[in-house]
Amino acid sequence: MLTSEEEKADLLKTFQALDLNGDGQLSRQELIKGFKEVLNIENVEEEVDAIMKQVDKNSNGTLDYSEFVMATINKESLFNKKRLETLFKLFD
């Protein structure tokens, strides 16, 4: 679980920065764009698809904030600490 108010604030800030249209949902395209900006990996789309498959619990094709939070605190999640730190630095 998130342990500090600072971590919670950082997570919300990252979510809001990724949410380009401000609808409170992260679409596949928003995640792809965010990952391309911060990660130097060739298979960004496959990585995002794997994340969506794993954490889009209501299967609506987007991640809401609660799904995003669950992805970050789940140890088996594809949002690992290193990637989140990179995202935090980008949007900080």
Side-chain angles (χ1 to χ4, degrees):
M1 187 157 218
L2 299 176
T3 57
S4 74
E5 291 301 315
E6 183 178 336
E7 287 174 327
K8 292 175 189 176
D10 285 345
L11 189 57
L12 179 59
K13 188 176 181 180
T14 299
F15 181 87
Q16 291 171 333
L18 291 170
D19 184 14
L20 300 175
N21 65 1
D23 67 353
Q25 305 284 317
L26 298 181
S27 69
R28 179 179 180 272
Q29 286 308 114
E30 288 171 323
L31 287 171
I32 288 171
K33 183 173 179 4
F35 270 54
K36 282 184 177 179
E37 289 180 16
V38 297
L39 300 175
N40 185 21
I41 57 175
E42 293 181 24
N43 59 344
V44 169
E45 291 185 20
E46 290 102 16
E47 179 123 2
V48 167
D49 288 341
I51 290 168
M52 295 295 288
K53 182 178 179 180
Q54 184 177 350
V55 297
D56 182 16
K57 298 302 181 190
N58 61 5
S59 300
N60 68 351
T62 62
L63 299 183
D64 61 30
Y65 184 67
S66 63
E67 289 169 327
F68 182 75
V69 169
M70 291 307 296
T72 62
I73 61 177
N74 180 348
K75 290 184 181 182
E76 296 175 9
S77 173
L78 294 175
F79 283 139
N80 65 34
K81 184 177 179 180
K82 181 178 178 185
R83 288 190 180 144
L84 281 176
E85 286 173 356
T86 303
L87 286 171
F88 288 152
K89 288 177 186 173
L90 174 70
F91 298 114
D92 194 19

